[in-house]
């Protein structure tokens, strides 16, 4: 069966981009209302972790084309032009957010699986340019901008565990911790009055209410729902929120009807001797 990753809902709420893993990995455009799925990419690379530009016309995504690192690429969703490479670096660079003017991509970057993850900016005005935004000895990932783009939510393990934090954007400042007991993959409500996030294993979805903007204050954590959902990884998000703010897109884990069993037999040679006596 196919495995799907990195689902992202279009700004119009009617389409999805997701990564479909069969023998290879490519991006597909899904139109649930029509029951249609169309391949977006089919090149020699491994393509995944796509996001939409605000106008819904273009996707920025990861692709491994040459070597072992996933760099940033861009392609029109209608496939009217071939993919364009935006970065060349010895680093994984999953895109996770884009500003409302479509000019700046926020992405997580790391030079390898064992390296720290930091948050960087890719500026698309003129020649693509990358600048660091949030870098430390801890891992920072999952940048998510509030609808008014005044605040940046993200995940950091600076405390030793993954928690959700918020800082001003674009000029970073006072840090507000959001999750009291672990948090991952923050998403803002389209209305901006709530911030959502998941537990580390992805099974629980929480919400906190924005009580005030000046200074920024949040309410207590509220459990919204839980289920057998795919856990997030630092290379990209495993959920999304619909533009109407009332629905979430989740990846659910499917389990086989008859789970495999492992049987351990002790004293195997003694049992074999009893069942098949030796002639010696």
């Amino acid at each position: 069966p196919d495995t799907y990753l990195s689902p992202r809902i279009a700004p119009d709420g009617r389409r999805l981009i997701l990564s479909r893993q069969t023998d290879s990995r490519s991006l597909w455009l899904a139109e649930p209302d029509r029951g249609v799925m169309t391949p977006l990419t089919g090149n020699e690379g491994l393509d995944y972790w796509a996001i939409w530009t605000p106008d819904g016309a273009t996707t920025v995504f990861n692709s491994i084309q040459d070597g072992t690192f996933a760099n940033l690429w861009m392609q029109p969703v209608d496939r009217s032009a071939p993919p364009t490479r935006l970065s060349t670096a010895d680093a994984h660079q999953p895109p996770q957010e884009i500003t409302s003017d479509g000019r700046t991509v926020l992405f997580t970057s790391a030079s390898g699986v064992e390296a720290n993850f930091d948050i960087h900016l890719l500026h698309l005005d003129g020649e693509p340019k990358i600048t660091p935004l949030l870098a430390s000895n801890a891992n920072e990932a999952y940048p998510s901008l509030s609808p008014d783009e005044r605040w940046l939510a993200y995940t950091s393990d600076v405390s030793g565990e993954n928690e959700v934090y918020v800082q001003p954007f674009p000029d970073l400042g006072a840090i507000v911790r959001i999750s009291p007991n672990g948090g991952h993959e923050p998403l803002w409500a389209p209305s901006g009055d709530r911030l959502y996030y998941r537990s580390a294993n992805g099974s629980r979805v929480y919400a906190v209410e924005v009580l005030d903007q000046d200074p920024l204050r949040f309410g207590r954590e509220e459990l919204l729902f839980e289920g057998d959902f795919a856990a997030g990884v630092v290379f990209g998000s495993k959920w999304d929120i619909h533009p109407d703010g009332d629905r979430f897109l989740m990846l659910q884990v499917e389990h086989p009807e008859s789970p495999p069993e492992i049987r351990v037999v002790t004293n195997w040679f003694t049992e074999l001797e009893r069942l098949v006596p030796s002639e010696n």
Side-chain angles (χ1 to χ4, degrees), residues 50-74:
I51 61 173
W52 295 84
T53 53
D55 60 6
T58 307
T59 179
V60 178
F61 61 97
N62 262 175
S63 184
I64 300 177
Q65 294 282 334
D66 44 17
T68 58
F69 291 102
N71 292 153
L72 293 161
W73 292 67
M74 175 180 283

Side-chain angles (χ1 to χ4, degrees), residues 40-278:
L40 285 181
T41 60
N43 51 42
E44 298 301 321
L46 299 175
D47 306 322
Y48 45 99
W49 310 132
I51 61 173
W52 295 84
T53 53
D55 60 6
T58 307
T59 179
V60 178
F61 61 97
N62 262 175
S63 184
I64 300 177
Q65 294 282 334
D66 44 17
T68 58
F69 291 102
N71 292 153
L72 293 161
W73 292 67
M74 175 180 283
Q75 179 180 316
V77 174
D78 64 6
R79 294 172 293 165
S80 58
T84 301
R85 189 165 196 159
L86 301 175
S87 67
T88 302
D90 291 337
H92 298 295
Q93 301 172 312
Q96 294 173 324
E97 181 69 281
I98 189 167
T99 54
S100 58
D101 59 11
R103 296 178 179 178
T104 306
V105 176
L106 287 77
F107 67 95
T108 304
S109 180
S111 57
V113 175
E114 300 299 326
N116 283 344
F117 283 82
D118 298 313
I119 297 173
H120 292 250
L121 303 176
L122 171 66
H123 306 279
L124 297 178
D125 283 339
E127 191 72 19
K129 176 185 176 183
I130 291 176
T131 59
L133 176 66
L134 187 56
S136 73
N137 292 329
N139 289 294
E140 295 92 11
Y142 297 113
S144 178
L145 291 177
S146 61
D148 61 7
E149 299 186 356
R150 291 183 59 191
W151 308 105
L152 171 71
Y154 61 96
T155 300
S156 174
D157 63 359
V158 65
S159 68
E161 301 292 338
N162 281 320
E163 302 284 358
V164 174
Y165 298 86
V166 171
Q167 289 195 54
F169 180 85
D171 298 320
L172 302 182
I175 301 173
V176 179
R177 176 169 164 176
I178 305 302
S179 55
N181 298 297
H184 216 32
E185 297 181 89
L187 288 175
W188 292 89
S191 60
D193 61 354
R194 278 188 159 196
L195 179 62
Y196 302 104
Y197 53 92
R198 304 208 296 163
S199 58
N201 64 4
S203 64
R204 295 182 177 89
V205 174
Y206 297 97
V208 291
E209 184 181 359
V210 179
L211 300 178
D212 200 351
Q213 295 272 353
D214 298 302
L216 185 64
R217 293 191 305 114
F218 290 87
R220 294 181 63 88
E221 177 184 80
E222 173 190 356
L223 176 63
L224 287 186
F225 58 88
E226 55 186 316
D228 199 2
F229 306 121
V233 295
V234 290
F235 289 105
S237 182
K238 290 290 187 69
W239 71 319
D240 202 4
I241 187 169
H242 194 275
D244 63 17
D246 295 329
R247 291 172 285 175
F248 294 90
L249 177 63
M250 314 291 295
L251 289 180
Q252 189 164 2
V253 178
E254 291 188 357
H255 299 285
E257 295 182 2
S258 300
E261 296 182 354
I262 298 177
R263 298 186 179 185
V264 178
V265 179
T266 60
N267 300 320
W268 187 80
F269 287 105
T270 302
E271 181 69 7
L272 180 63
E273 181 67 23
R274 184 184 69 81
L275 296 174
V276 186
S278 173

